[in-house]
């Protein structure tokens, strides 16, 4: 079954912003390492951002300084704040836990399109 459900994608102009949300489905994400990956057209899945259960963060060089990953434990959700979006950010974005990644288990993702 799908453990995480992504939402918040859409179409924005270059330089715009979006906040993606990741809802847990029957899991307590507070104790999980959570991350975002994306699949751009014609490309393989790529790492975007990581938030560990200890609140450490890691970002891909391509998004560093523009994207911020965070969690809200009360709402049991993880977010990806995306600022200064670029056309190359166009992709389907997925959230996942480390165990989900290792099991190659992914949800439906949410589409982000950056264009004029």
């Amino acid at each position: 079954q799908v453990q995480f459900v992504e939402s918040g994608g859409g179409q924005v102009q270059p330089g715009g912003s979006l906040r993606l949300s990741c809802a847990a489905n029957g899991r307590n994400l507070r104790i999980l390492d959570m991350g975002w990956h994306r699949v751009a057209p014609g490309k393989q899945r790529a790492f975007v951002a990581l938030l560990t259960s200890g609140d450490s963060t890691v970002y891909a060089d391509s998004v560093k300084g523009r994207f911020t990953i965070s969690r809200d434990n009360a709402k049991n959700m993880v977010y990806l704040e995306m600022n200064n979006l670029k056309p190359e950010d166009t992709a389907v974005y997925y959230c996942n836990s480390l165990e989900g990644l290792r099991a190659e288990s992914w949800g439906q993702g949410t589409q982000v399109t950056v264009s004029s």
Side-chain angles (χ1 to χ4, degrees), residues 6 9 20 36-41 44-46 48 89-95 106-113:
E6 302 90 344
L20 307 183
W36 290 90
H37 293 73
R38 65 188 181 185
V39 180
Q44 293 184 314
R45 194 182 304 273
V48 175
D89 295 319
T90 295
V92 179
Y93 285 72
Y94 302 85
C95 67
W106 301 90
Q108 294 298 307
T110 185
Q111 175 72 50
V112 172
T113 301

Side-chain angles (χ1 to χ4, degrees), residues 29-37 47-59 68-73 77-80 96-98:
L29 58 77
R30 177 180 57 84
I31 65 173
L32 302 175
D33 294 342
M34 294 292 300
W36 290 90
H37 293 73
F47 168 78
V48 175
L50 170 69
L51 176 64
T52 72
S53 60
D55 292 331
S56 297
T57 58
V58 180
Y59 297 94
T68 303
I69 186 172
S70 63
R71 62 159 51 91
D72 186 332
N73 291 332
M77 297 185 70
V78 172
Y79 305 99
L80 184 68
N96 212 344
S97 63
L98 182 60

Side-chain angles (χ1 to χ4, degrees), residues 19 21 64 83 88 103:
R19 188 180 76 162
S21 298
K64 195 172 300 181
N83 298 310
E88 52 263 40

